[in-house]
C-alpha cells in the first residue's frame, strides 16, 4: 500500500513543501525508520528530534536545512474538507431571486 508523506523542509531561504512515497503493508502506518529511509533516498540525512515525533533534524555537520516537519501521512483514506467558497457560490445560485433586483 502506498503512503504519501507530506512534509516541509525548513531552509535558510524559507520553507519548502514536498512529498515523498513509502510502501507499507495494508492497514499499517510507516515507522520512523521508514521516514528516515525515505529522506535518505532524497539525499536528506536526518535523525529524529527527541522532543517532537513529527520533526527530523539534519544529521550532517554542514546541514542544507534547519529541520524537516512531517505534516501529513496520506494512506489513501477518504478525506472530506468543506469548501466554504464553493458552498456560498452554490447557495447564491440556488437561492430564489428577489423581485426588483
Amino acid at each position: 500500500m502506498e503512503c504519501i508523506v507530506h512534509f516541509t523542509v525548513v531552509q535558510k531561504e524559507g520553507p519548502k513543501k514536498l512529498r515523498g512515497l513509502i510502501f507499507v503493508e495494508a492497514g499499517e502506518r510507516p515507522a520512523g525508520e521508514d521516514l528516515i529511509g525515505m529522506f535518505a533516498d532524497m539525499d536528506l540525512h536526518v535523525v529524529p528530534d527527541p522532543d517532537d515525533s513529527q520533526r527530523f533534524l539534519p544529521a550532517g555537520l554542514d546541514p542544507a536545512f534547519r529541520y524537516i516537519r512531517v505534516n501529513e501521512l496520506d494512506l489513501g483514506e477518504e478525506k472530506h474538507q468543506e469548501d466554504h467558497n464553493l458552498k456560498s457560490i452554490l447557495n447564491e445560485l440556488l437561492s430564489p431571486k428577489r423581485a426588483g433586483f
Side-chain angles (χ1 to χ4, degrees):
M1 174 177 215
E2 294 180 353
C3 175
I4 301 171
V5 181
H6 299 263
F7 61 96
T8 304
V9 178
V10 178
Q11 303 171 321
K12 294 174 186 172
E13 302 83 32
K16 185 184 246 185
K17 294 187 180 251
L18 299 171
R19 290 176 293 198
L21 183 64
I22 297 176
F23 292 97
V24 295
E25 295 295 322
E28 292 185 14
R29 299 176 68 85
E33 291 300 318
D34 296 325
L35 293 168
I36 290 172
M38 179 197 72
F39 292 136
D41 290 343
M42 300 172 89
D43 205 26
L44 298 168
H45 302 284
V46 298
V47 295
D49 185 337
D51 299 326
D52 187 346
S53 64
Q54 293 181 285
R55 198 163 100 158
F56 294 85
L57 304 172
L61 296 175
D62 186 22
F65 59 93
R66 292 182 182 163
Y67 64 89
I68 296 175
R69 176 127 184 114
V70 175
N71 303 318
E72 179 184 349
L73 299 175
D74 182 355
L75 294 164
E77 298 164 352
E78 187 175 335
K79 296 178 192 170
H80 175 72
Q81 250 182 334
E82 187 175 16
D83 186 340
H84 296 289
N85 292 330
L86 179 59
K87 186 176 179 178
S88 63
I89 290 170
L90 289 174
N91 283 336
E92 192 66 33
L93 290 173
L94 297 175
S95 66
K97 301 289 183 201
R98 296 183 203 175
F101 288 100

